[in-house]
């Protein structure tokens, strides 16, 4: 707005919790609203109004009502410094009453009609009124979507002032305005933000703010109020290019979201703060499903800082964690480069629905027929734009992935479409989910790009000697594996669960396994004094219920005996199902490592030894090879500057291509450092069975991509005393980073 407003309404709010710079950070409800009208043209002040918000007492007992009536009469005896005092039983009633009283006062003044609120800072509007109204699904009057920040207006005439250090008392002193201090409050002292602000102080604050406004309007400042602060009424969807520059100081990561939440739910959680267009991006896990995290981009650093104050605020029954993030994190999730996607998402005010599980032969016509009304059905959900409103997700070579996105013109059509969830198309049932523009970009990026972690491809494993990763059978099963623990279970809960078997646990013999975010995975290993006691514990406690002292959830726990070698394998990043624990059938199909490697909270010695594997090579050829029993557990560091994992520590990596979800916040992903016993100066890998028309070193380099080596280390031996019987045998010299030990 460029024109001067006719009236300014100085507004001050107080909650039942913290005040000052922490106002609204504790999710406490609004209980006091004080305002005063300022005539800008005539430089006159109106009366001071005070609105008390109290809960409805109709459901309370008569005894409680009598106590409240007495308390109210005491308040009336003390009186209030406000000219008019009103009461309301709910926030919705209070906001409507405020708007009604304000309209009547402006109409009675007769000096104009344009009105705008004026507050001391951003918190009263953005962190108190809008968040509480959004959580209670209350419609906020239009007057609360624009306001003037008195601190910013004051700073225009006093540019040296620190905006964060400004308050009503400082501004009044700078303008030589007398400031009447209530006897119970000293503004010169350092205020306690967690203290509840008295109503008398709130009235005094409004009166002082009104005098500051008059001082700015008068000589020598002659200030005008042309530009208002705006609160976005709704979230705008949009696209983001990977080439776009995103400031690191405008992005946050929200964690703990319900899996069915959408970008509109995120915008509702941050109501009052302005999210950039297309600035809400839901994160997906390795399976393409939402992982409960989102990256949110705000229009400025100021709004980002206010969003951080909503850490552990609630969305429904769940609290949401809010942390700082970077622009690079946001672009990895929401950024895209496909022109096809840009054209698909260019239509505004469209509802996106994701289809998952489509037959690979599905066509546009089949999708259109899937959403067309069936016989006897009146519900219609036409796809917006026909074939142009359908986007199939494909691999880089053009093969379909079974996913697609469709557009609908309105929410009603989208809800009708979602009711077809798990209906049949062809011979498969189709899953339908409400989606977002950022999710479209993320899914397309996932299927059209290379793995985020450079790892060796599976074909390399198939040509290596067939060696089991699991420890050989026959080890002493003097350990227990507990699976399915409550996530809040502690060491004390485990000891209580074991009961009489607690005395058979070795010192520091409890090992809780954590996932990649550092949280309990539900697994635990326990070292017992003997195999007999471990077997007795597994037989007696298997599928018994464990309770947690820190939570109300109880779960039955599976208990299996295992060996120390098997325990060590799992704690070092491998996987071991209970079927392998009870049987000794270790086929290659059940010995793969499961991404991502987990870490354990070790309460015992830091390393475990593996039993030596039986020889798999002829004696005369054994000199050419290092032991191969742990080839896939060989550590190697990642290249410097990797976005997800530290470059300094050696990691246990899986050979399977793995697409991780974004890193956990606020800490980074942790792995076990490589034991020093695994390092060797070098080694050789023999690759028998190469094609005779092989292109030589070039094919070898392609086969071992993801490992660090020098091209001159690749040696082709077509002839020689060692390989005379195998002209296609190959020896590849290995550096230390990926040796076979």
């Amino acid at each position: 707005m460029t024109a001067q407003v006719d009236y300014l309404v100085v507004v001050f709010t107080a909650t039942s919790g913290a005040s000052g710079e922490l106002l609204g950070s504790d999710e406490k409800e609004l209980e006091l609203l004080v305002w005063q009208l300022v005539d800008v043209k005539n430089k006159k002040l109106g009366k001071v109004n005070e609105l008390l918000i109290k809960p409805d007492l109709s459901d309370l007992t008569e005894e409680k009502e009598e106590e409240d009536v007495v308390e109210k009469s005491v308040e009336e005896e003390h009186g209030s410094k406000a000219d008019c005092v009103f009461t309301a039983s709910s926030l919705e009633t209070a906001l409507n009453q405020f708007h009604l009283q304000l309209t009547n006062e402006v109409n009675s003044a007769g000096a104009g009609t344009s009105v705008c609120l004026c507050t001391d800072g951003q918190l009263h509007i953005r962190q108190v009124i809008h968040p509480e109204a959004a959580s209670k699904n209350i419609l906020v009057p239009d007057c609360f979507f624009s306001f003037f920040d008195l601190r910013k207006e004051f700073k225009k005439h006093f540019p040296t002032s620190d905006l964060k250090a400004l308050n009503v008392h400082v501004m009044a002193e700078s303008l030589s305005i007398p400031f009447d201090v209530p006897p119970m409050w000293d503004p010169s002292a350092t205020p306690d933000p967690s203290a509840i602000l008295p109503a008398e102080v709130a009235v005094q604050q409004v009166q002082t703010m009104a005098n500051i406004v008059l001082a700015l309007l008068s000589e020598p400042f002659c200030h005008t109020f042309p530009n208002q602060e705006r609160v976005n009424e709704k979230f705008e969807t949009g696209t983001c290019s990977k080439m776009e520059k995103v400031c690191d100081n405008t992005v946050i990561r929200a964690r703990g979201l319900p899996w069915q939440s959408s970008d509109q739910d995120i915008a509702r959680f941050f109501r009052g703060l302005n999210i950039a267009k297309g600035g809400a991006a839901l994160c997906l896990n390795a399976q393409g499903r939402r992982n409960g995290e989102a990256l949110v981009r705000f229009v400025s650093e100021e709004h980002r800082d206010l969003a951080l104050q909503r850490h552990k605020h609630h969305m429904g029954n769940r609290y949401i964690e809010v942390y700082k993030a970077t622009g690079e994190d946001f672009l990895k999730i929401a950024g895209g480069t496909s022109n096809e996607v840009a054209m698909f998402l260019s239509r505004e005010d469209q509802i996106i629905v994701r289809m998952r599980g489509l037959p690979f032969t599905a066509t546009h016509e089949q999708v259109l027929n899937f959403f067309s009304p069936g016989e006897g059905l009146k519900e219609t959900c036409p796809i917006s734009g026909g074939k142009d409103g359908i986007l199939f997700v494909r691999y880089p070579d053009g093969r379909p992935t079974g996913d697609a996105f469709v557009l609908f013109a309105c929410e009603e059509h989208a809800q009708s479409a979602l009711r077809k969830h798990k209906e049949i198309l062809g011979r498969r049932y189709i899953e339908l989910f409400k989606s977002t523009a950022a999710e479209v970009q993320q899914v397309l990026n996932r299927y059209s790009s290379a793995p985020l972690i450079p790892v060796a491809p599976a074909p390399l494993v198939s040509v290596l000697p067939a060696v089991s990763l699991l420890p050989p059978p026959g080890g002493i099963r003097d350990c227990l594996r507990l699976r399915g623990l409550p996530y809040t279970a502690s060491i004390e809960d485990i000891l209580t669960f074991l009961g009489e078997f607690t005395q058979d646990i070795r010192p520091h013999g409890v090992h809780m396994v954590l996932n990649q975010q550092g949280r309990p995975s539900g697994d635990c290993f326990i070292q017992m004094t003997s195999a007999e006691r471990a077997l007795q514990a597994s037989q007696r406690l298997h599928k018994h219920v464990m309770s947690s002292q820190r939570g109300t959830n109880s779960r039955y726990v599976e208990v299996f005996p295992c060996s120390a070698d098997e325990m060590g394998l799992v704690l070092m990043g491998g996987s071991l199902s209970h079927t392998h624990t009870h049987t000794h059938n270790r086929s290659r199909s059940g010995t793969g490592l499961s991404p991502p490697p987990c870490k354990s909270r070790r309460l015992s010695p830091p390393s475990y030894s593996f039993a030596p594997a039986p020889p798999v090579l002829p004696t005369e050829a054994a000199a050419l090879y290092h032991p191969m029993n742990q080839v896939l557990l060989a550590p190697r560091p990642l290249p410097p500057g990797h976005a997800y994992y530290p470059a300094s520590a050696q990691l246990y990596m899986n050979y399977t291509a793995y697409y991780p979800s974004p890193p956990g916040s606020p800490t980074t992903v942790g792995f076990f450092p490589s034991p020093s016993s695994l390092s060797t100066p070098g080694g050789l890998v023999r690759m028998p069975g190469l094609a005779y028309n092989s292109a030589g070193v070039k094919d070898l380099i392609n086969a071992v991509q993801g490992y660090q080596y020098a091209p001159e280390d690749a040696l082709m031996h077509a002839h020689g005393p060692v390989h005379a019987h195998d002209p296609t045998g190959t020896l590849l010299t290995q550096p230390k980073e990926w040796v076979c030990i």
Side-chain angles (χ1 to χ4, degrees), residues 380-391:
T380 60
C381 46
I383 296 177
S384 178
K387 293 183 179 180
D388 294 335
I390 304 173
L391 177 65

Side-chain angles (χ1 to χ4, degrees), residues 78 83 139 155 176 230 287 331-332 349 364 370-371 416 438 450 457 473 560 565 587 607 614 636 646 648 663 667 684:
H78 284 284
D83 298 320
L139 189 63
K155 188 175 174 60
S176 302
R230 296 286 183 178
Q287 290 74 37
L331 290 177
K332 286 179 180 178
D349 299 328
H364 289 84
F370 178 79
F371 288 107
S416 299
F560 309 106
D565 293 332
S587 62
S607 62
R636 58 184 175 86
S648 58
T667 58
L684 300 174

Side-chain angles (χ1 to χ4, degrees), residues 7 48 55 94 125 137 159 187 266 274 309 331 391 396 400 434 452 473 488 503 530 543 603 653 669 683 698:
Y7 295 98
V48 179
I125 301 296
N137 294 321
I266 296 173
N274 295 345
Q309 293 186 13
L331 290 177
L391 177 65
K434 200 171 180 180
L452 296 178
T488 58
Q503 60 185 359
S530 65
K543 290 193 175 181
L603 303 178
M653 299 303 297
V669 182
K698 181 178 179 181

Side-chain angles (χ1 to χ4, degrees), residues 285-504:
N285 60 14
Q287 290 74 37
R289 303 176 185 272
R290 296 171 184 173
N291 65 358
E293 292 190 5
L295 290 166
V296 186
R297 176 189 179 191
F298 294 92
V299 296
S300 67
E301 182 180 359
E302 179 183 27
H303 289 242
R304 192 283 306 266
D305 292 340
L306 293 177
L308 293 173
Q309 293 186 13
R310 301 194 187 183
H311 179 59
K312 291 195 174 181
H313 282 204
H314 288 77
M315 179 184 291
N317 294 326
R318 298 174 64 96
Y319 72 83
I320 308 301
E321 301 173 12
V322 182
Y323 303 104
K324 291 181 180 179
T326 65
E328 183 181 2
D329 294 337
F330 181 81
L331 290 177
K332 286 179 180 178
I333 301 301
T337 57
S338 173
N339 292 330
E340 182 183 11
V341 177
M343 290 294 297
F344 178 77
L345 298 176
S346 61
R347 304 179 181 89
E348 295 185 358
D349 299 328
Q350 300 286 334
I351 309 299
I352 306 174
V353 172
R354 181 181 179 182
M355 304 180 69
R356 193 165 61 193
L358 288 169
F360 293 144
T361 58
T363 62
H364 289 84
E365 289 74 14
Q366 289 177 312
V367 175
L368 290 172
N369 293 333
F370 178 79
F371 288 107
S372 61
E375 297 180 1
L377 297 178
K378 296 183 180 180
E379 277 191 337
T380 60
C381 46
I383 296 177
S384 178
K387 293 183 179 180
D388 294 335
I390 304 173
L391 177 65
F392 286 102
V393 183
R394 302 182 183 276
Y395 290 106
D397 58 3
R399 293 181 295 114
T401 64
D403 282 28
F405 294 92
V406 293
L407 295 176
F408 295 94
C410 62
E411 185 69 29
E412 181 181 358
H413 290 171
Q415 292 300 326
S416 299
L418 292 174
R419 281 191 279 270
K420 292 180 175 289
H421 180 60
K422 291 195 175 182
E423 289 191 8
I424 303 299
L425 192 158
R427 295 183 178 181
R428 305 189 63 176
Y429 72 86
I430 309 301
E431 296 177 287
L432 300 175
F433 308 94
K434 200 171 180 180
S435 186
T436 66
E439 185 173 354
V440 176
Q441 295 279 25
Q442 194 175 171
V443 172
L444 267 293
N445 293 343
R446 181 181 300 275
Y447 284 113
S448 62
S449 60
L452 296 178
I453 301 179
V455 291
L460 176 63
V461 180
S462 62
V463 299
L464 292 175
V467 181
S468 173
L469 290 177
L470 292 176
I476 300 177
R477 300 183 177 276
D478 57 351
C479 299
L480 289 176
R481 181 186 183 185
L482 276 60
R483 189 171 68 179
L485 300 173
Y487 293 119
T488 58
S490 62
I491 302 296
E492 291 74 14
D493 298 326
I494 296 174
L495 297 180
T496 303
F497 174 78
L498 292 175
E500 62 179 280
F501 297 100
T502 303
Q503 60 185 359
D504 300 306

Side-chain angles (χ1 to χ4, degrees), residues 90-92 95 132-140 271:
S90 65
L91 176 64
E92 184 175 14
L95 296 180
E132 184 178 346
S135 64
K136 297 180 178 179
N137 294 321
I138 296 175
L139 189 63
V140 178
R271 182 70 57 82

